[in-house]
């Protein structure tokens, strides 16, 4: 039986959206148990049933504006901290939170612990692409500054995830840069390019540009956290704006626009699904000793359910165990 610790109080719509996502997961997966950390009085009204669900009551939580490291150290009974401690103490196999990203990263590093050979754990997620297959990208904001070795390790970790969780054989790894030529970029990008290209076990396809990320040019994209986070938010904002403008055009375009939308209904639904981040799951804090996954702060029940599905697959494939063994064998 797989056990997932849930920070039930993290996120914009907690605990309602969190518990609803757990309800959906319980009805589908018979091999997963959930430990919900948070205010029991707020959690229980949203439970459909308590099958394979345990509530650990605490009234303390980490807020979105809390300073991450201080919050982890001072709020020992916060729902996020208690969930991380459960993973450390092997009471749970993995953890999910939609709360403060910096605090979750701090909890992952200082409580759960990083894989010894991984110098800098990073945030990794699957971004939507035009063909619907998605692309793994790392780092998406855990670290504003990185070395070439950090970025190289992100390529290795991203390949692991793409192969073991997404089932991609020999995933193509691309380095996000300001041009596709091997000579492009600053010293960090040039040094990273050399490290990636010298790894004979990696399917490195070279530099890729931001404009091509959604066109399936690679299965894994390597980036520093500052650039990766900026790209992620640009893509999210662009997707929302396009869908909003399309909806406005249809509603204000008269009978012809409405008739056209009705005729294109299936295609429009398919387009929305391709651009929907809630199906992809959460961002994995990769490089830690256990699966710690950050769901978007605005996650609804669908996004929480997708993230639980993602975590379950990570546990089934022993992704973290394989990563530990791989890096332990490196010189």
């Amino acid at each position: 039986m797989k056990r997932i610790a849930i920070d039930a109080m993290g996120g914009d719509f907690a605990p309602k959206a969190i518990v609803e996502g757990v309800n959906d997961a319980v009805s589908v997966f018979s091999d997963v148990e959930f430990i919900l950390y948070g205010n029991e009085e707020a959690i229980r009204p949203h439970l459909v049933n308590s099958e394979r669900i345990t509530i650990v009551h605490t009234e303390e939580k980490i807020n979105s504006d809390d300073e991450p490291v201080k919050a982890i150290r001072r709020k020992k009974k916060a729902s996020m901290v208690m969930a991380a401690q459960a993973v450390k103490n092997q009471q749970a196999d993995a953890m999910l939170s939609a709360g403060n990203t910096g605090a979750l990263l701090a909890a992952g590093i200082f409580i759960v612990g990083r894989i010894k050979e991984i110098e800098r754990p990073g945030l990794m997620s699957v971004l939507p692409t035009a063909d619907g297959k998605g692309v793994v990208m790392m780092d998406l904001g855990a670290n504003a500054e990185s070395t070439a070795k950090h970025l190289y390790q992100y390529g290795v970790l991203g390949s692991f995830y793409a192969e073991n969780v997404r089932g991609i054989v020999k995933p193509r790894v691309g380095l996000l840069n300001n041009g596709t030529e091997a000579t492009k970029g600053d010293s960090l990008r040039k040094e990273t390019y050399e490290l990636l290209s010298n790894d004979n076990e990696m399917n490195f396809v070279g530099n890729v540009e931001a404009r091509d990320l959604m066109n399936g040019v690679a299965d894994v994209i390597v980036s520093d956290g500052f650039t990766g986070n900026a790209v992620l938010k640009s893509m999210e904002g662009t997707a929302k704006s396009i869908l909003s403008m399309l909806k406005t055009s249809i509603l204000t375009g008269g009978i012809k626009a409405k008739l056209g939308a009705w005729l294109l209904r299936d295609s429009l639904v398919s387009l929305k699904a391709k651009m929907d981040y809630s199906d992809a799951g959460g961002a994995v804090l990769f490089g830690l000793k256990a699966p710690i996954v950050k769901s978007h702060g605005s996650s609804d029940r669908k996004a929480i359910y997708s993230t639980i599905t993602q975590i379950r697959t990570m546990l089934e494939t022993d992704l973290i165990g394989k990563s530990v063994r791989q890096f332990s064998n490196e010189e």
Side-chain angles (χ1 to χ4, degrees), residues 2 13 23 46 56 68 70 100 112 117 125-126 135 144 149 162 164 184 200 206 221 253 275-276 281 289 320 326 329:
K2 304 169 184 66
F13 305 114
N23 287 333
H46 304 294
V56 178
K70 289 182 180 179
N100 185 313
V112 177
E117 291 76 12
S125 190
V126 178
V135 59
K149 185 176 181 181
N164 290 283
K184 282 286 188 176
N200 295 325
I221 301 295
M275 301 177 74
D276 190 354
K289 293 179 179 178
I320 302 302
Q326 166 69 18
N329 290 332

Side-chain angles (χ1 to χ4, degrees), residues 156-290:
V156 176
L157 290 170
S159 294
F160 257 92
Y161 187 88
E163 188 167 354
N164 290 283
V165 175
R166 311 199 72 228
I168 301 173
V169 179
K170 295 292 289 182
R172 299 163 297 155
V173 178
L175 175 62
L176 185 63
N177 209 334
N178 64 342
T180 58
E181 299 88 349
T183 56
K184 282 286 188 176
D186 56 12
S187 58
L188 173 61
R189 249 56 59 166
K190 291 177 181 177
E191 188 177 347
T192 303
Y193 186 100
E194 184 176 357
L195 290 175
L196 292 170
S197 60
N198 287 337
D199 187 337
N200 295 325
E201 295 185 3
M202 184 181 295
N203 186 12
F204 180 55
V205 296
N207 291 323
V208 297
E209 295 184 278
R211 65 182 178 185
D212 295 323
L213 293 186
M214 295 188 68
N215 295 330
V217 293
D219 303 303
V220 177
I221 301 295
V222 174
S223 172
D224 65 276
F226 183 89
T227 305
N229 188 262
V231 168
L232 171 65
K233 290 179 178 177
S234 294
M235 291 176 67
E236 287 180 334
T238 301
K240 289 180 181 179
S241 296
I242 289 174
L243 292 175
S244 178
M245 289 187 292
L246 182 60
K247 182 178 180 179
T248 300
S249 296
I250 292 171
L251 293 177
T252 60
I255 187 64
K256 288 184 178 180
K258 292 179 175 63
L259 178 60
W262 183 82
L263 293 172
L264 292 170
R265 180 176 52 186
D266 292 343
S267 297
L268 293 174
V269 169
S270 176
L271 173 64
K272 185 177 184 299
K274 286 182 179 180
M275 301 177 74
D276 190 354
Y277 284 77
S278 63
D279 283 329
V284 181
L285 289 174
F286 219 168
L288 301 176
K289 293 179 179 178

Side-chain angles (χ1 to χ4, degrees), residues 67-78:
E67 199 285 321
V69 177
K70 289 182 180 179
I72 291 298
R73 290 176 176 171
R74 295 176 180 176
K75 295 185 174 182
K76 300 295 185 182
K77 295 296 182 181

